[in-house]
């Protein structure tokens, strides 16, 4: 992969549960319980919603390539798949073809497939990007819901989303940290206000 060759860290280190994972490959970090979700929705469009989650469960069990097994052997996964769909409010869409889902529902499905891998740490890259107001609210609530018992590290520019679900916020400007802490504190930081609003005379609230 050309990106991993050119984007090697030049300094610093990344620790996860006390282990230095700075130089580990994606597959290695995934086995540690770290799962990533990107801006582009990564689901199988021509499979049903249930089949998408079941495929993720198979991957977690290491049986993804057992093509010789009959479909009946997958039935034990159905109950867990339905539980995951209920967790992200997709229980009524289980038999719907994924391609027919609106964008916000597809992102919810991606959350379900990510949860199927039982991650300890979820990395989300602008999960509400490109959504309408209704979908943003729905996905924001889902992220808060599935954060129970795990850590979520999220890149997000929508201040409404950040203010509703983030426990701790780190603000970067030109690659440097300018503020770190709870939203109530960070949102009043003059450096943060100026970085987002272009002036320190305006209060930071709900702006992209």
């Amino acid at each position: 992969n050309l990106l991993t060759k050119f984007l090697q860290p030049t300094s610093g280190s990344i620790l996860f549960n006390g282990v230095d994972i700075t130089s580990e490959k994606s597959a290695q970090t995934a086995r540690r319980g770290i799962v990533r979700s990107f801006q582009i929705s990564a689901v199988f469009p021509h499979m049903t919603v249930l089949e998408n989650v079941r495929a993720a469960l198979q991957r977690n069990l290491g049986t993804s390539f057992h093509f010789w097994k009959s479909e009946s052997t997958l039935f034990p996964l159905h109950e867990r798949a339905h539980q995951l769909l209920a967790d992200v409010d997709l229980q009524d869409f289980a038999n719907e073809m994924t391609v027919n889902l609106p964008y916000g529902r597809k992102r919810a499905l991606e959350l379900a497939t990510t949860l199927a891998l039982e991650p300890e740490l979820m990395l989300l890259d602008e999960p509400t990007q490109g959504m309408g107001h209704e979908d943003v609210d729905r996905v924001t609530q889902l992220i808060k819901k599935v954060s129970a018992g795990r850590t979520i590290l999220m890149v997000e520019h929508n201040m409404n989303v950040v203010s509703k679900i983030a426990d701790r916020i780190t603000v970067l400007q030109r690659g440097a940290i300018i503020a770190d802490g709870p939203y109530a504190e960070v949102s009043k930081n003059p450096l943060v206000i100026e970085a987002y609003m272009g002036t320190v005379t305006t209060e930071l609230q709900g702006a992209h």
Side-chain angles (χ1 to χ4, degrees):
N1 186 309
L2 290 177
L3 281 178
T4 56
K5 288 181 181 178
F6 289 116
L7 297 180
Q8 293 297 321
T10 55
S11 63
S13 60
I14 303 171
L15 300 179
F16 180 66
N17 288 338
V19 178
D20 190 332
I21 63 170
T22 310
S23 301
E24 285 192 347
K25 298 184 183 301
S26 297
Q28 292 174 293
T29 56
R31 284 193 290 271
R32 293 188 184 278
I34 302 174
V35 179
R36 297 179 294 178
S37 175
F38 300 100
Q39 287 186 35
I40 299 174
S41 186
V43 291
F44 297 110
H46 299 296
M47 290 169 59
T48 68
V49 168
L50 180 67
E51 288 169 342
N52 265 275
V53 179
R54 193 176 67 184
L57 288 169
Q58 283 182 264
R59 181 173 55 179
N60 199 33
L61 293 174
T63 60
S64 301
F65 299 102
H66 291 189
F67 301 117
W68 60 88
K69 290 190 175 182
S70 68
E71 187 176 12
S72 62
T73 64
L74 302 179
F75 289 163
L77 299 179
H78 284 200
E79 183 177 355
R80 177 57 180 152
H82 280 291
Q83 287 176 349
L84 288 166
L85 290 179
D87 285 345
V88 297
D89 297 333
L90 286 178
Q91 60 272 22
D92 296 333
F93 297 85
N95 297 314
E96 182 70 58
M97 292 299 292
T98 301
V99 69
N100 297 329
L101 292 180
Y103 182 67
R105 298 286 187 184
K106 284 180 180 151
R107 295 314 303 258
L109 174 57
E110 189 174 19
L111 275 178
T113 58
T114 301
L115 290 171
L117 302 179
E118 299 183 2
E120 183 176 348
L121 170 63
M122 293 174 64
L123 307 178
L124 307 180
D125 184 15
E126 297 193 45
T128 64
Q129 179 69 24
M131 292 183 186
H133 180 72
E134 181 179 345
D135 283 336
V136 167
D137 287 344
R138 179 186 296 114
V139 171
T140 299
Q141 292 169 15
L142 289 177
I143 292 171
K144 185 65 175 178
K145 179 180 178 181
V146 303
S147 69
R150 60 176 51 86
T151 299
I152 296 180
L153 177 61
M154 180 173 66
V155 176
E156 182 58 72
H157 297 286
N158 186 323
M159 292 298 101
N160 282 321
V161 173
V162 171
S163 65
K164 289 175 182 175
I165 63 176
D167 297 311
R168 176 179 171 183
I169 302 161
T170 301
V171 182
L172 291 90
Q173 183 182 39
R174 301 182 185 276
I177 295 175
I178 60 174
D180 182 84
Y183 181 81
E185 176 184 312
V186 169
S187 63
K188 293 180 173 62
N189 186 306
L191 292 176
V192 175
I193 295 173
E194 186 172 16
Y196 268 82
M197 307 301 291
T199 175
V200 294
T201 60
T202 304
E203 184 177 348
L204 182 66
Q205 53 180 347
H208 264 289

